[in-house]
């Protein structure tokens, strides 16, 4: 067949227009050829027709076999095995095709086909949990790839061998090897299929051991690579990893949408592993508190022969079906997940770790102390072996939960406080908020109701910010507010200015502070709890240029552009802001706050540059959108500085204000209605 006839097909494939390539192939009347079968397989995989992909490579195998081209037939058989392995999880058929290839090249030990066969055999062994076998075949793939100048088998073997090292506890060597692979993938020297699969492998390896920061970095790299390079099921795999990171960082709305898109995109390719994106969808919905949606996704994963644990067991616990949750997690541990998969650890401690973490919580709820202690001890050993901050903190949290259950309140407070701070450091806000509920219970058990309610309030606010209001409601049910607080009279507090000093009384303690501009903003907010002040309203009132209620003929705030002004008003607005910045600089220098002064000087330079360019002198209506942003930045900085000063001298008042003051384009003081405060300002 001529190049002129094949050229449009190749061009369509290179452009990622796989449907067009299929149309062109369907219109050909040429006799079967090796090149046509290869083009047919590529086009079919790109459009999501896995069966046609396998059929095309199968036809290619038979064509070469009938022609006596054993090496080419062996390679085609390896390709059938590779695509079966990637997307079906049917290892028996993978092994059958690899056996055919081995038989054809058993008398040709130096054939380059051995490198490809070793690469596929490596992952067949990995997915079946044979880690020693994985290591042996991975080394063969690396050696064969290097010998014959074949980068894909070599890099596939390198990644698999690194995963074996990590699984065996040799983290330093394994992570170092994966870093080298990441550099190679970033260079863009590999074909798209190998690149996409290996990015996925790197991320899965990090998810195994809970190194989510590195997983996030590599997910971002894979996402950049995906744009314009990925094809077939690679788009969907990228989305699953994105959803995993979004779920950890929160809120989960975006994670749910990404997981839904992943399920849709992977539907044509995946078979048994289709439970992987479905389980991630269930996990995102579980964190949102969408229990019905989570159950739907988890059960769909189970129908695809996937083990959706510990998510489904934790869902049953949240639904109050404690015995069912306990039975599920016990069964998952007694009968380990054995569906071939490279997305989840095939065996050992890494496979048990998330199950043990959940088992501690479920067993304590079920009243099985022995099971909880066994799970916590095993989790601690796993964390020690793999030296992962995530695993180590899960083990620490488990110890804190058991201490709370045993009535060792002081120890529980110490352990849980440390674990909460570590979750915050790891940027895992849902875990931090959930554990903070346990910390509130520990303070309640120790008889410190006020601190308990502070912790509970912080946990519930965090959950609500994560759009997980259902979990906040469950938390309040678990650690109820003491009745006396509900019926309490408003606390009488003071925040009054007297000359250049200010008196602050809160929670029975009074301090005298030097007045600051940020404290004048704070006074305005405290005077009207719950009211939102636009930053320009707040700043202008503080300077005394306008009364508290802005008249109707004042310049209006535009939702997109900020304050609408004209020529002279524009100049005046910038000069006013410049005066405010000068005051901020002076106040910062007076208090020896060099960093704050440096930031304010940058603001001043911006305003001076704007004035020099003649802002607003062209006769047109002018909007000071940037002025709004500068005012917001300046006011926020002044207010935060004031709060820091207050915290140094009155820690309880500082904690209260940190929880109740909201900044942004709109500022507000939003105290807890369950603990009312009456301020004299």
């Amino acid at each position: 067949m001529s190049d002129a006839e094949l050229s449009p097909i190749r061009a369509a494939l290179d452009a990622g227009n796989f449907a067009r390539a299929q149309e062109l192939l369907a219109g050909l009347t040429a006799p079967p050829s090796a090149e046509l079968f290869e083009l047919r397989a590529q086009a079919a995989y790109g459009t999501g027709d896995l069966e046609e992909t396998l059929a095309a490579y199968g036809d290619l195998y038979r064509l070469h076999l009938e022609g006596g081209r054993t090496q080419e037939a062996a390679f085609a058989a390896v390709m059938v095995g590779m695509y079966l392995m990637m997307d079906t999880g049917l290892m028996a058929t993978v092994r059958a095709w690899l056996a055919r290839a081995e038989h054809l090249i058993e008398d040709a030990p130096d054939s380059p086909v051995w490198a490809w066969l070793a690469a596929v055999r490596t992952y067949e062994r990995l997915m079946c949990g044979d880690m020693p076998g994985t290591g042996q075949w991975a080394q063969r793939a690396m050696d064969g790839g290097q010998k014959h100048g074949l980068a894909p088998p070599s890099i596939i073997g390198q990644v698999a061998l690194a995963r074996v090292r990590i699984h065996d506890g040799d983290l330093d060597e394994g992570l170092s090897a994966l870093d080298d692979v990441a550099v190679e993938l970033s260079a863009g020297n590999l074909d798209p299929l190998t690149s996409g699969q290996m990015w996925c492998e790197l991320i899965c390896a990090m998810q195994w051991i809970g190194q989510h920061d590195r997983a996030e970095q590599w997910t971002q790299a894979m996402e950049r690579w995906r744009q314009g390079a990925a094809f077939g099921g690679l788009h969907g795999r990228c989305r699953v990893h994105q959803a995993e990171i979004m779920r950890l960082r929160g809120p989960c709305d975006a994670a749910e949408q990404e997981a839904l898109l992943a399920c849709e995109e992977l539907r044509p390719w995946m078979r048994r592993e289709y439970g992987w994106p479905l389980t991630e969808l269930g996990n995102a919905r579980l964190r949102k508190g969408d229990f019905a949606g989570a159950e739907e996704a988890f059960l769909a994963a189970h129908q695809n022969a996937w083990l959706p644990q510990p998510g489904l067991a934790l869902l049953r616990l949240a639904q109050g079906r404690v015995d069912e949750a306990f039975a599920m997690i016990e069964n998952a541990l007694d009968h380990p997940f054995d569906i071939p998969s490279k997305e989840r650890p095939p065996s050992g401690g890494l496979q048990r770790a998330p199950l043990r973490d959940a088992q501690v919580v479920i067993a304590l709820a079920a009243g099985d102390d022995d099971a909880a202690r066994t799970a916590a001890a095993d989790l601690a050993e796993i964390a020690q072996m793999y030296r992962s901050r995530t695993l180590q903190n899960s083990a620490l949290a488990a110890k804190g939960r058991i201490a709370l259950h045993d009535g060792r309140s002081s120890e529980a407070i110490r352990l849980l406080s440390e674990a909460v701070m570590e979750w915050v450091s790891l940027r895992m806000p849902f875990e931090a908020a959930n554990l903070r509920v346990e910390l509130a219970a520990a303070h309640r058990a120790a008889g410190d109701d006020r601190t308990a309610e502070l912790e509970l309030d912080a946990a519930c606010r965090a959950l609500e910010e994560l759009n997980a209001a259902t979990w906040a409601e469950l938390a309040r049910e678990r650690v109820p507010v003491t009745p006396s607080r509900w019926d309490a009279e408003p606390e009488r507090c003071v925040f009054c200015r007297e000359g250049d000093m200010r008196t602050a009384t809160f929670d029975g303690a009074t301090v005298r502070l030097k007045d600051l501009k940020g404290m004048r903003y704070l006074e305005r907010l405290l005077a009207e709890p719950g009211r939102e002040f636009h930053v320009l309203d707040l700043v202008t009132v503080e300077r005394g240029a306008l009364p508290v209620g802005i008249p109707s003929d004042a310049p209006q705030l535009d939702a997109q552009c900020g304050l609408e002004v004209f020529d002279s008003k524009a100049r005046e607005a910038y000069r006013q802001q410049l005066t405010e910045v000068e005051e901020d600089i002076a106040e910062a220098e007076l208090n020896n706050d060099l960093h704050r002064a440096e930031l304010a000087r940058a603001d001043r330079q911006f305003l001076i540059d704007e004035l020099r360019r003649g802002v607003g002198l062209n006769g047109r209506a002018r909007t000071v959108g940037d002025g709004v942003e500068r005012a917001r930045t300046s006011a926020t900085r002044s207010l935060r500085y004031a709060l820091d000063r207050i915290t140094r001298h009155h820690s309880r008042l500082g904690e209260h204000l940190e929880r109740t003051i909201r900044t942004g384009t709109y500022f507000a003081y939003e105290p807890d209605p369950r603990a009312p405060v009456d301020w004299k300002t």
Side-chain angles (χ1 to χ4, degrees):
M1 195 166 188
S2 68
D3 282 345
E5 291 176 290
L6 295 178
S7 179
I9 300 172
R10 296 193 193 104
L13 291 173
D14 290 342
N17 192 345
F18 300 102
R20 177 58 179 161
Q22 277 193 316
E23 290 176 6
L24 293 171
L25 284 165
L28 294 176
T29 58
S33 69
E35 187 166 19
L36 278 178
F37 284 139
E38 289 176 357
L39 293 174
R40 184 178 127 207
Q42 293 175 41
Y45 192 72
T47 59
D49 192 344
L50 179 60
E51 280 68 28
E52 175 62 14
T53 304
L54 298 173
Y57 276 121
D59 289 342
L60 180 62
Y61 163 76
R62 283 181 285 275
L63 179 71
H64 285 311
L65 196 61
E66 291 168 2
R69 297 179 293 275
T70 55
Q71 299 257 344
E72 290 83 353
F75 182 76
V78 170
M79 290 298 101
V80 176
M82 183 180 77
Y83 281 92
L84 282 167
M85 179 200 67
M86 286 194 305
D87 293 317
T88 72
L90 302 173
M91 292 298 109
T93 56
V94 171
R95 287 189 287 270
W97 279 97
L98 294 183
R100 292 174 187 174
E102 287 181 3
H103 176 70
L104 290 171
I105 57 173
E106 59 186 355
D107 295 329
D110 292 331
S111 170
V113 179
W114 277 110
W116 287 100
L117 190 150
V120 179
R121 179 70 78 183
T122 294
Y123 269 87
E124 180 269 327
R125 291 290 81 206
L126 176 68
M127 292 170 71
C128 291
D130 177 10
M131 304 312 281
T134 300
Q136 294 168 10
W137 281 103
Q139 191 63 58
R140 290 189 64 176
M142 292 169 63
D143 294 343
Q146 292 166 5
K147 179 179 179 179
H148 297 288
L150 298 171
S154 181
I155 207 102
I156 290 169
Q158 187 177 350
V159 171
L161 191 58
R163 294 187 73 172
V164 172
R165 297 284 185 266
I166 291 171
H167 180 273
D168 293 344
D170 190 352
L171 262 69
D172 293 337
E173 185 175 346
L175 293 175
S176 176
L178 292 182
D179 283 337
D180 292 342
V181 172
V183 171
E184 184 69 21
L185 293 175
S186 299
N189 297 326
L190 292 165
D191 65 278
L193 185 61
T194 303
S195 294
Q197 291 289 348
M198 291 305 100
W199 274 124
C200 186
E201 291 301 300
L202 264 61
I203 296 164
C204 288
M206 294 304 96
Q207 299 285 24
W208 276 17
I209 56 176
Q211 289 211 5
H212 301 302
D213 284 347
R214 197 183 302 227
E216 183 175 18
Q217 293 169 9
W218 287 348
T219 297
Q220 292 168 352
M222 185 179 186
E223 179 65 18
R224 289 192 296 271
W225 166 86
R226 180 174 75 90
Q227 307 302 323
F231 70 100
L234 296 175
H235 285 288
R237 290 179 182 273
C238 290
R239 288 194 187 280
V240 180
H241 292 308
Q242 284 278 61
E244 289 169 339
I245 297 300
M246 290 174 174
R247 168 173 55 84
L248 290 174
R249 302 308 186 213
C252 283
D253 303 74
E256 180 187 19
Q257 290 304 310
E258 200 73 7
L260 278 168
L261 288 171
C263 289
E264 187 64 28
E265 292 182 2
L266 289 171
R267 192 183 303 276
W269 285 276
M270 282 189 166
R271 297 298 179 265
R272 297 174 78 179
E273 282 190 308
Y274 191 58
W276 173 46
L278 284 169
T279 297
E280 184 53 40
L281 176 61
N283 288 333
R285 288 174 170 173
L286 178 61
R287 290 208 170 186
K288 284 181 60 180
D290 178 7
F291 294 162
E295 181 161 7
E296 179 185 19
F298 286 142
L299 293 181
H302 187 266
Q303 289 169 2
N304 277 267
W306 192 267
L307 187 70
Q309 301 295 5
L312 183 55
L314 291 171
L315 171 63
R316 291 289 180 255
L317 180 65
Q319 292 171 328
R321 297 154 68 174
V322 179
D323 292 342
E324 192 175 343
F326 185 76
M328 280 184 174
I329 207 71
E330 287 277 292
N331 185 67
L333 286 159
D334 293 342
H335 304 285
F337 177 82
D338 60 358
I339 300 299
S341 167
K342 58 186 180 299
E343 280 75 31
R344 298 169 66 161
S347 61
L350 290 175
Q351 185 189 61
R352 295 195 310 277
L355 300 173
R356 290 299 199 190
D357 188 23
Q359 188 183 26
V360 173
V361 179
I362 295 170
L364 289 175
D368 193 328
D369 296 7
D370 292 340
R373 295 180 203 286
T374 299
D378 189 27
L379 185 58
E381 290 181 9
I382 296 167
Q384 184 176 11
M385 179 176 182
Y386 291 102
R387 306 193 311 278
S388 157
R389 286 177 65 190
T390 300
L391 292 176
Q392 288 169 345
N393 205 49
S394 294
L396 181 66
K399 287 177 63 178
R401 286 186 169 101
I402 290 176
L404 174 60
H405 177 78
D406 291 345
R408 294 176 279 122
S409 302
S410 296
E411 184 180 357
I413 290 170
R414 177 180 62 81
L415 294 170
L416 293 172
S417 297
E418 184 179 341
V420 166
M421 294 306 297
E422 180 70 348
W423 285 138
V424 171
S425 176
L426 289 167
R427 295 188 299 132
M428 298 173 71
F430 185 85
E431 283 77 5
N434 253 354
L435 197 62
R436 215 160 182 179
V437 178
E438 304 279 355
L439 182 57
H443 282 293
R444 177 65 50 79
D448 187 350
D449 287 342
R450 178 175 289 277
T451 304
E453 286 166 26
L454 286 173
E455 291 296 340
L456 179 62
D457 182 68
C460 291
R461 283 176 178 265
L463 290 168
E464 287 162 354
E465 288 174 2
L466 291 168
N467 295 333
T470 301
W471 289 102
E473 293 170 8
L474 291 173
R476 291 189 177 102
E477 291 175 8
R478 180 174 173 210
V479 190
V481 176
T482 52
S484 60
R485 290 285 296 216
W486 284 98
D487 303 324
E489 288 292 322
E491 183 178 355
R492 305 296 179 183
C493 299
V494 175
F495 197 72
C496 291
R497 180 182 178 186
E498 300 166 358
D500 62 350
M501 298 297 291
R502 187 171 291 274
T503 299
T505 300
F506 178 80
D507 197 20
T510 298
V511 295
R512 294 267 293 169
L513 302 165
K514 180 176 176 56
D515 190 43
L516 300 170
K517 179 167 61 176
M519 292 185 185
R520 296 193 288 279
Y521 296 152
L522 180 58
E523 178 182 351
R524 186 76 191 89
L525 298 175
L526 296 178
E528 296 188 62
R531 177 183 168 183
E532 289 187 331
F533 290 85
H534 191 282
V535 62
L536 293 178
D537 185 0
L538 189 69
V539 170
T540 306
V541 170
E542 187 277 327
R543 289 184 52 79
L546 287 174
V548 173
I550 297 179
S552 59
D553 59 350
Q556 298 299 304
L557 293 172
D558 181 271
Q560 294 180 337
C561 300
L563 184 65
E564 183 175 292
V565 293
F566 295 90
D567 304 331
S568 61
K569 292 183 179 180
R571 292 195 299 274
E572 183 57 32
Y574 276 106
R575 286 171 180 148
Q576 178 176 314
Q577 292 156 23
L578 188 59
T579 301
E580 293 167 356
V581 171
E582 294 287 2
E583 292 175 359
D584 193 52
I585 293 172
E587 189 174 280
E589 290 176 342
L590 181 65
N591 290 283
N592 199 32
D593 193 334
L594 303 181
H595 179 64
R596 176 186 172 192
E598 181 181 356
L599 293 174
R601 289 191 192 98
D603 289 350
R604 178 178 62 185
Q605 189 59 50
F606 168 85
L607 293 169
I608 290 172
D609 291 342
E610 287 292 274
L611 285 168
R612 282 174 177 168
R613 284 199 294 269
V615 173
L617 296 178
N618 54 12
R620 296 181 300 177
R622 178 69 178 171
T623 60
V624 194
D626 286 338
V628 173
E629 177 59 21
R630 292 289 164 178
R632 184 195 66 78
T633 302
S634 177
T636 299
R637 184 170 58 242
S638 296
L639 185 58
R640 290 297 173 194
Y641 187 75
L643 293 179
D644 287 343
R645 276 304 178 97
I646 291 170
T647 301
R648 290 182 198 174
H649 297 278
H650 197 321
S651 60
R652 292 195 298 278
L653 175 56
E655 290 172 4
H656 171 75
L657 295 173
E658 284 291 339
R659 287 186 291 108
T660 56
I661 295 295
R662 175 163 57 84
T663 62
T665 303
Y666 288 87
F667 286 57
Y669 168 57
E670 298 174 331
D672 188 343
R674 298 169 299 170
V677 181
D678 183 12
W679 287 98
K680 177 185 176 183
T681 58

